[in-house]
């Protein structure tokens, strides 16, 4: 970091030297020609000696020297802005992860898009819980390296949409990759703050600190800068941390809480500061790091991220230490479980410690009215453990779930409920409980499904391997025409919608299908929504992918009706987005078992 500042200083000296030299040269330009390379060697040697002398100063002078550099940078702010504006007018910035060619996209995929329409699309997506297939399309579209749209939308707005989407989906590895490839710590600090806070809340301090090892520019955001200083101290680089901290103080940084904690970590203070701030996760973490006897009891008002930190760092009191009579504390625990910051199994173990008489357990349903909500949940849970008859147990599970919903903490009985339901035979579920069963049970995906070829059906035949890249053009043309020839002799064969999707995709790729087979099916009028067709006509590949993701919504591609798949594939065909199209076709066309 120090060498970066020195290089910056040297560059500024050279820049000033050249300006002075040129201004002196202009006054004599009319008298004699000037050789710009014949610079006085003595001046160069003098400047070099001065620079070497600056480098050899002692540590204290060095800190003062660097502080002066920062002051000079602050004074030259207007000049820097002018230079940056001049450069930005000639250079368009691109931030992303994927190469456009990896997905048949291009660097201009957003250029023709209208910002107002994009804002509307992104706002809609933020209100939907998208399926994995839809999420993948959005991810590809917004994280492919491409120029930003500039009609009715600013670069900052477009970046914010990217950030909001990544935060909503909370893929920490993806966010970290985005930062490591784009060095935008000062352009998009909110996203990085979210990332490091998530790592800290999971008590993964190494992960949070490792982010800064990949950064190569001064940090402007105060929160990130404070975390960076702490991380440097933590890794044993106190001198570097001290330099950065002193420079920040020179530029006006003031945070008394942070200063107390950081001075203790520097070793300047021996007395532990007992203050605990819940303002943010870093402040809270510093309170714990600077106090060996740290103790904190969360309340209902405690932020969710603090609860998460306490749980991840084993700072939550064990359920064995909670008195059953302390219903207020148990209520706080229930809320924490609802927010996924305390284990469900520990809450249920707590319920098992409640004492009920035999009559209450035998007639649990009628005993609920005389109990508090917490006691009622404990009673029903104990009754569930005693019940052996499947249908009765299912009824009790529904009652318990409803009791959680009544207090708006239904997520507190989620994982364990699924475990109970998983043990039941779905064929034995009575009609009046079917909805409850399928709403709450987790249907496991069949991830190991294999393709089963059926060479009697076009879209299920081995011909679909063309979309894997396993066919040459000549071979697929020959095999497809032979298959269609066979079809014409079979009057019982009817081309399905998926067969047509298969054939239209081949035609889009320039595969020659004999004209004599044109009458096998009719190309139906366009089913593509008008707004998507406009995007196609304008070559708005990015916007079209976002719109398709919205259409898919919460559904997985395999469950979407054939008419919708037809217009999705038609959209991708017209835009020549073949790689994404092929991935979709290999999901929806084959028979899988």
């Amino acid at each position: 970091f120090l060498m970066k500042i020195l290089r910056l200083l040297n560059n500024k000296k050279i820049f000033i030297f050249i300006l002075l030299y040129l201004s002196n040269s202009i006054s004599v330009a009319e008298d004699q020609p000037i050789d710009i390379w014949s610079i006085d060697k003595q001046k160069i040697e003098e400047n070099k000696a001065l620079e070497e002398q600056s480098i050899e100063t002692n540590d204290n002078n060095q800190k003062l020297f660097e502080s002066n550099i920062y002051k000079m940078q602050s004074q030259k702010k207007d000049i820097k802005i002018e230079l940056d504006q001049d450069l930005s007018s000639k250079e368009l910035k691109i931030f992303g992860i994927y190469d456009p060619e990896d997905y048949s996209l291009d660097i201009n995929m957003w250029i023709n898009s209208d910002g107002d329409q994009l804002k509307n699309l992104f706002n809609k997506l933020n209100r939907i819980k998208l399926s994995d297939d839809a999420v993948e399309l959005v991810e590809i579209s917004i994280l492919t390296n491409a120029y930003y749209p500039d009609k009715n939308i600013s670069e900052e707005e477009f970046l914010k949409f990217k950030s909001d989407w990544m935060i909503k989906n909370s893929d920490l590895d993806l966010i970290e990759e985005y930062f490591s490839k784009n060095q935008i710590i000062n352009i998009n600090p909110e996203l990085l703050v979210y990332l490091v806070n998530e790592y800290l809340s999971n008590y993964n301090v190494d992960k949070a600190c490792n982010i800064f090892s990949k950064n190569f520019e001064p940090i402007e955001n105060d929160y990130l800068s404070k975390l960076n200083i702490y991380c440097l101290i933590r890794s044993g680089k106190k001198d570097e941390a001290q330099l950065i901290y002193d420079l920040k103080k020179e530029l006006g940084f003031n945070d008394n809480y942070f200063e107390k904690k950081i001075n203790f970590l520097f070793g300047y203070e021996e007395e532990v500061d007992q203050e605990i701030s819940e303002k943010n996760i870093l402040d809270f973490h510093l309170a714990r790091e600077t106090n060996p006897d740290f103790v904190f009891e969360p309340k209902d008002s405690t932020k969710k991220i603090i609860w998460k930190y306490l749980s991840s760092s084993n700072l939550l009191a064990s359920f064995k230490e909670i008195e059953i009579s302390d219903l207020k504390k148990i209520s706080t625990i229930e809320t924490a479980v609802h927010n996924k910051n305390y284990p469900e199994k520990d809450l249920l173990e707590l319920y098992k410690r409640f004492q009920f008489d035999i009559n209450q357990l035998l007639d649990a349903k009628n005993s609920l009215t005389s109990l508090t909500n917490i006691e009622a949940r404990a009673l029903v849970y104990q009754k569930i453990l005693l019940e052996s008859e499947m249908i009765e147990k299912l009824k009790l599970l529904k009652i318990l779930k409803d009791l959680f919903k009544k207090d708006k903490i239904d997520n507190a009985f989620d994982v364990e409920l699924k475990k109970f339901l998983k043990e039941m035979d779905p064929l034995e579920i009575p009609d009046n409980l079917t909805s409850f069963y399928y709403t709450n049970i987790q249907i496991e995906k069949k991830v190991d499904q294999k393709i089963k070829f059926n060479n009697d059906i076009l879209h299920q035949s081995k011909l679909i391997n063309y979309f894997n890249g396993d066919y040459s053009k000549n071979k697929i043309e020959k095999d497809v025409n032979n298959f269609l020839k066979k079809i014409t002799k079979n009057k019982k064969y009817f081309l399905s919608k998926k067969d047509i999707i298969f054939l239209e995709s081949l035609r889009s790729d320039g595969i020659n299908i004999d004209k004599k087979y044109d009458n096998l099916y009719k190309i139906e009028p366009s089913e593509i929504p008008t707004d998507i067709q406009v995007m196609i006509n304008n070559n708005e590949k990015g916007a079209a992918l976002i719109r398709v993701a919205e259409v898919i919504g919460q559904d997985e591609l395999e469950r979407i009706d054939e008419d919708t798949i037809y217009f999705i594939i038609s959209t991708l065909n017209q835009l020549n987005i073949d790689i994404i199209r092929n991935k979709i076709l290999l999901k929806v066309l084959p028979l899988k078992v």
Side-chain angles (χ1 to χ4, degrees):
F1 180 79
L2 175 59
M3 293 307 297
K4 288 182 183 178
I5 298 176
L6 291 176
R7 284 198 295 271
L8 177 62
L9 177 62
N10 291 338
N11 290 338
K12 288 182 179 293
K13 283 185 176 180
I14 294 169
F15 179 72
I16 294 168
F17 175 80
I18 293 172
L19 287 178
L20 290 172
Y21 176 81
L22 291 177
S23 64
N24 290 333
S25 300
I26 292 171
S27 64
V28 296
E30 294 181 357
D31 296 331
Q32 59 183 6
I34 300 298
D35 181 1
I36 64 171
W37 301 109
S38 59
I39 301 173
D40 188 278
K41 294 183 179 179
Q42 183 177 356
K43 290 183 178 180
I44 294 176
E45 293 298 323
E46 291 173 356
N47 286 335
K48 183 177 180 181
L50 287 172
E51 292 168 3
E52 290 175 352
Q53 183 179 358
S54 298
I55 295 173
E56 293 173 354
T57 54
N58 60 43
D59 289 344
N60 291 332
N61 288 336
Q62 188 179 61
K63 291 175 184 177
L64 178 60
F65 177 65
E66 299 299 341
S67 298
N68 288 334
I69 294 173
Y70 266 66
K71 289 179 181 179
M72 179 180 69
Q73 288 176 330
S74 179
Q75 292 167 355
K76 300 295 183 182
K77 186 176 181 181
D78 293 338
I79 297 175
K80 182 179 183 296
I81 291 172
E82 289 177 7
L83 289 172
D84 287 346
Q85 288 175 341
D86 182 60
L87 289 172
S88 64
S89 64
K90 299 178 181 178
E91 179 183 349
L92 289 173
K93 298 174 184 176
I94 297 176
F95 301 124
I97 294 177
Y98 309 121
D99 189 318
E101 293 183 358
D102 293 343
Y103 295 100
S104 304
L105 300 170
D106 62 74
I107 204 167
N108 294 313
M109 57 188 280
W110 298 102
I111 290 295
N112 297 326
S113 296
D114 181 270
D116 288 336
Q117 187 178 34
L118 290 177
K119 292 173 190 177
N120 184 48
L121 280 173
F122 279 117
N123 287 332
K124 286 182 179 178
L125 289 183
N126 284 333
R127 295 193 294 267
I128 304 172
K129 181 174 174 56
L130 298 175
S131 68
D132 291 342
D133 291 323
V135 165
E136 185 179 5
L137 280 183
V138 178
E139 178 184 311
I140 290 170
S141 63
I142 68 173
L143 295 181
T144 290
N145 291 305
Y147 296 130
Y148 295 151
D150 56 11
K151 181 181 179 183
N152 296 325
I153 190 170
S154 65
E155 178 182 311
E156 291 74 19
E157 287 177 305
F158 193 73
L159 268 176
K160 189 176 186 308
F161 282 126
K162 287 188 178 188
S163 299
D164 290 346
W165 183 85
M166 284 189 274
I167 289 172
K168 177 188 174 185
N169 286 276
S170 195
D171 187 335
L172 303 187
D173 291 335
L174 185 73
I175 297 173
E176 188 168 344
E177 183 182 3
Y178 179 67
F179 269 99
S180 66
K181 289 187 176 181
N182 293 282
Q183 290 302 306
I184 53 175
I185 194 168
N186 294 322
I187 296 174
N188 205 176
E190 294 81 8
L191 183 59
L192 189 55
V193 168
Y194 170 80
L195 178 64
V196 296
N197 280 348
E198 284 297 298
Y199 284 145
L200 282 179
S201 68
N202 288 313
Y203 201 57
N204 198 334
V205 186
D206 288 339
K207 271 275 202 180
C209 288
N210 189 51
I211 297 294
F212 299 102
S213 67
K214 303 173 185 178
N215 174 62
F216 303 104
E217 58 184 83
I219 302 171
E220 296 174 4
N221 180 273
D222 279 346
Y223 184 83
L224 294 174
S225 186
K226 288 194 297 183
L227 178 57
N228 183 38
I229 291 169
Y230 161 73
C231 290
L232 288 170
I233 296 173
R234 188 172 184 269
S235 62
K237 299 178 181 179
K238 288 188 176 182
D239 290 342
E240 189 174 344
Q242 184 70 67
L243 175 60
I244 295 173
Y245 182 56
D246 288 346
L247 292 173
K248 284 188 66 65
K249 293 279 286 184
E250 286 287 338
L251 293 173
F253 173 77
N254 183 35
D255 187 329
N256 290 332
Y257 179 88
F258 179 76
E259 187 168 355
K260 290 178 183 177
K261 303 300 182 185
I262 219 70
N263 282 339
F264 180 85
L265 294 174
F266 273 131
Y268 303 146
E269 299 285 347
E270 294 183 1
E271 187 175 343
V272 174
D273 176 39
Q274 300 290 338
E275 184 180 359
I276 300 174
S277 170
E278 298 180 62
K279 181 179 178 182
N280 55 60
I281 192 66
L282 174 58
D283 282 358
F284 192 80
H285 175 69
L286 289 175
R288 187 215 175 168
E289 289 294 284
T290 55
N291 187 353
D293 301 319
F294 179 84
V295 175
F296 181 83
E297 186 171 301
K299 310 175 187 65
D300 287 337
S301 59
T302 299
K303 295 177 182 177
K304 181 178 178 180
I305 194 168
I306 302 294
W307 270 100
K308 190 175 181 181
Y309 177 90
L310 292 168
S311 177
S312 301
S313 56
N314 295 319
L315 289 175
L316 283 176
S318 168
F319 65 92
K320 295 179 181 179
E321 300 174 9
I322 299 175
E323 295 292 335
I324 294 301
S325 58
D326 193 346
L327 296 182
K328 184 176 181 181
K329 186 174 287 187
I330 294 174
S331 176
T332 300
I333 292 294
E334 287 181 327
T335 302
V337 175
H338 170 73
N339 290 325
K340 304 302 181 185
N341 294 320
Y342 197 83
E344 281 186 34
K345 58 183 179 61
D346 285 0
L347 173 63
L348 297 180
E349 286 294 325
L350 189 60
Y351 285 163
K352 287 165 66 174
R353 291 171 51 203
F354 280 80
Q355 299 294 317
F356 301 105
D357 61 46
I358 189 66
N359 292 324
Q360 287 175 308
L361 288 169
L362 289 174
D363 192 16
K365 294 177 185 179
N366 293 324
S367 300
L368 299 180
T369 55
S370 61
L371 302 174
T372 65
N373 290 352
I374 293 174
E375 291 171 328
R377 286 189 280 271
L379 175 63
V380 174
Y381 178 67
Q382 290 187 25
K383 177 66 174 177
I384 288 170
L385 296 179
L386 296 171
E387 183 60 62
S388 58
E389 206 278 314
M390 189 272 286
I391 294 179
E392 284 302 313
K393 179 174 287 192
L394 187 59
K395 290 178 181 178
L396 289 167
L397 287 169
K398 186 177 184 305
I399 291 172
L400 181 55
K401 185 68 173 180
D402 289 341
L403 286 171
F404 279 104
K405 285 182 178 180
K406 182 179 179 181
D407 284 346
K408 299 181 180 178
I409 52 171
D410 43 302
N411 286 337
F413 189 49
D414 179 28
V415 176
E416 297 301 317
L417 172 59
K418 287 178 171 59
K419 290 180 181 178
F420 278 114
L421 297 178
K422 190 176 180 180
E423 296 175 355
M424 299 180 178
D425 186 348
L427 298 177
E428 296 182 8
I429 305 298
D431 292 342
N432 62 329
L433 293 172
T434 300
S435 176
F436 168 74
Y437 176 83
Y438 284 105
T439 299
N440 292 284
I441 194 170
Q442 183 173 348
I443 306 297
E444 295 182 359
K445 293 183 179 180
K446 298 179 180 180
V447 293
D448 296 327
Q449 286 182 310
K450 295 182 179 180
I451 293 176
K452 180 179 180 180
F453 294 109
N454 181 356
N455 289 321
D456 292 328
I457 298 176
L458 181 58
H459 71 270
Q460 294 179 358
S461 69
K462 290 186 178 181
L463 295 176
I464 60 176
N465 282 330
Y466 163 79
F467 299 112
N468 270 328
D470 293 345
Y471 263 92
S472 66
K473 182 178 180 181
N474 290 336
K475 180 169 174 53
I476 191 65
E477 285 181 351
K478 178 181 176 182
D479 289 354
V480 166
N481 282 296
N482 286 339
F483 196 102
L484 294 177
K485 181 179 180 180
K486 183 175 70 174
I487 286 177
T488 57
K489 296 179 180 179
N490 182 0
K491 295 183 179 180
K492 294 183 179 180
Y493 192 94
F494 173 76
L495 280 178
S496 68
K497 196 81 168 189
K498 288 188 175 181
D499 288 338
I500 296 172
I501 290 171
F502 173 80
L503 291 172
E504 286 300 301
S505 296
L506 293 182
R507 291 182 190 274
S508 174
D509 287 358
I511 302 303
N512 183 28
I513 299 175
D514 288 347
K515 291 185 177 179
K516 61 183 178 182
Y517 301 123
D518 288 351
N519 61 351
L520 283 176
Y521 69 94
K522 290 183 179 181
I523 299 177
E524 299 179 9
S526 176
E527 300 176 6
I528 299 175
T530 303
D531 63 319
I532 296 182
Q533 189 61 59
V534 171
M535 294 174 185
I536 294 170
N537 297 341
N538 291 337
N539 197 33
E540 300 177 50
K541 292 184 177 180
L545 284 178
I546 294 293
R547 183 69 173 84
V548 168
E550 183 197 357
V551 170
I552 296 172
Q554 301 180 41
D555 294 323
E556 300 294 340
L557 282 166
E558 292 92 333
R559 300 177 191 169
I560 294 179
D561 64 275
E562 294 180 357
D563 288 337
T564 302
I565 291 295
Y566 180 81
F567 97 67
I568 288 174
I569 297 301
S570 296
T571 297
L572 300 177
N573 281 336
Q574 291 184 61
L575 288 168
N576 295 316
I577 308 179
D578 297 338
I579 294 176
I580 295 176
R581 179 207 64 185
N582 291 349
K583 289 182 68 174
I584 293 176
L585 288 172
L586 290 170
K587 281 188 175 183
V588 300
L589 291 183
L591 175 65
K592 295 182 180 180
V593 294

